[in-house]
Amino acid sequence: MRNKDIGIKKDISARLFLFSVGFILTIVLSGIFLALYLSSDHNNEMLIKYGIEVEAEITTYHRVSEGGDNNHSYNYETEYSYTDTNGNTYKGTDRIYGSESQAAERVGEKRIITIVPNSNISSPKRYSELTRLNYELHLSLAIIFLILIPALGYLLFYRGIYRNELDKKIIIGVEHRELPISQGEVTKVVKWVVCYVKVKYQDESGATKEKWARSWFTHKEAKFLQQKRTINIVPYKNTYGILEEMSISK
């Protein structure tokens, strides 16, 4: 059998590490998914949501150059055009060919493109060929992780760093005999993922108070405190710390 500290002397370094990692990860992941959403091609998103296939015509071509200043090579890119019944015209580039004659041969040909009606958005691809990216998923994940940032910030900075420093002050006060160890009565226990313990005690001025302990407890720890009922606490200003040890098997 060995004793395990409960309350203000409990080592929470592992919890602080997890909170820190979780806090950093939520910031990084929210930034990544937000960047993915903001940098995404929203024209493609519109094409996937509202696109329809129409028959366009290759109307012309133009020369495009490749290579550096001293090493030019030229290709030729065809252009398409489509005008709907409302007079809206959709234009774009189609394909690149290695020679002018190949591009010139395509002028006048018909091909299927995808457009968004009542807009100027079009793609030389058929609807089934469009790349389906998870725009809405990226935005949803970005929002979820943005919401988690303040939640994990609360766990890290308040329930972790701040309360750990407060417990250290109480421990130092006990060690220097500046803070007395008192008795408190466990009056209520609420069990969830973690457990909360309510204690009736007398504060430093002698007034009787009944407050929830600041610390979180495991189910075994809460059961131990509930069964013991009268426990050691250290009143400090407007709060207190539980100072107990629980016997556990090796």
Side-chain angles (χ1 to χ4, degrees), residues 19-199:
F19 289 165
S20 300
V21 171
F23 182 68
I24 294 169
L25 275 178
T26 53
I27 293 175
V28 172
L29 290 173
S30 63
I32 289 173
F33 287 115
L34 190 59
L36 285 172
Y37 175 75
L38 293 176
S39 63
S40 58
D41 182 358
H42 293 285
N43 282 351
N44 191 70
E45 181 182 10
M46 295 293 289
L47 285 162
I48 289 173
K49 284 185 175 180
Y50 309 111
I52 61 170
E53 291 184 346
V54 296
E55 187 177 69
E57 180 180 347
I58 305 299
T59 55
T60 186
Y61 63 89
H62 62 270
R63 188 172 69 175
V64 293
S65 63
E66 295 181 352
D69 294 336
N70 300 321
N71 184 24
H72 278 291
S73 62
Y74 295 101
N75 293 319
Y76 296 85
E77 188 171 35
T78 54
E79 301 176 19
Y80 65 82
S81 179
Y82 169 76
T83 302
D84 63 18
T85 55
N86 296 321
N88 299 317
T89 299
Y90 302 81
K91 294 183 178 181
T93 56
D94 185 23
R95 297 175 184 174
I96 294 178
Y97 297 90
S99 67
E100 184 175 3
S101 60
Q102 287 179 313
E105 288 176 359
R106 299 297 183 269
V107 174
E109 287 186 357
K110 305 291 185 180
R111 64 173 287 102
I112 301 299
I113 66 169
T114 304
I115 68 167
V116 177
N118 301 316
S119 75
N120 61 351
I121 300 173
S122 66
S123 170
K125 297 179 180 180
R126 299 186 73 110
Y127 184 82
S128 60
E129 297 171 339
L130 294 172
T131 303
R132 284 161 171 76
L133 301 176
N134 292 320
Y135 304 103
E136 293 180 354
L137 177 61
H138 291 161
L139 180 59
S140 297
L141 289 173
I143 292 172
I144 289 171
F145 286 114
L146 283 170
I147 292 172
L148 285 176
I149 288 175
L152 285 169
Y154 161 78
L155 293 176
L156 173 61
F157 294 107
Y158 181 69
R159 295 213 63 94
I161 296 173
Y162 168 74
R163 292 196 164 184
N164 189 49
E165 290 302 313
L166 188 59
D167 285 349
K168 286 180 181 179
K169 289 182 180 180
I170 296 176
I171 292 169
I172 291 172
V174 172
E175 291 174 348
H176 289 77
R177 297 184 180 180
E178 296 171 354
L179 296 175
I181 299 175
S182 304
Q183 300 292 307
E185 180 188 355
V186 176
T187 58
K188 192 172 183 180
V189 171
V190 173
K191 296 180 180 180
W192 190 50
V193 178
V194 293
C195 299
Y196 298 86
V197 174
K198 198 172 192 179
V199 176

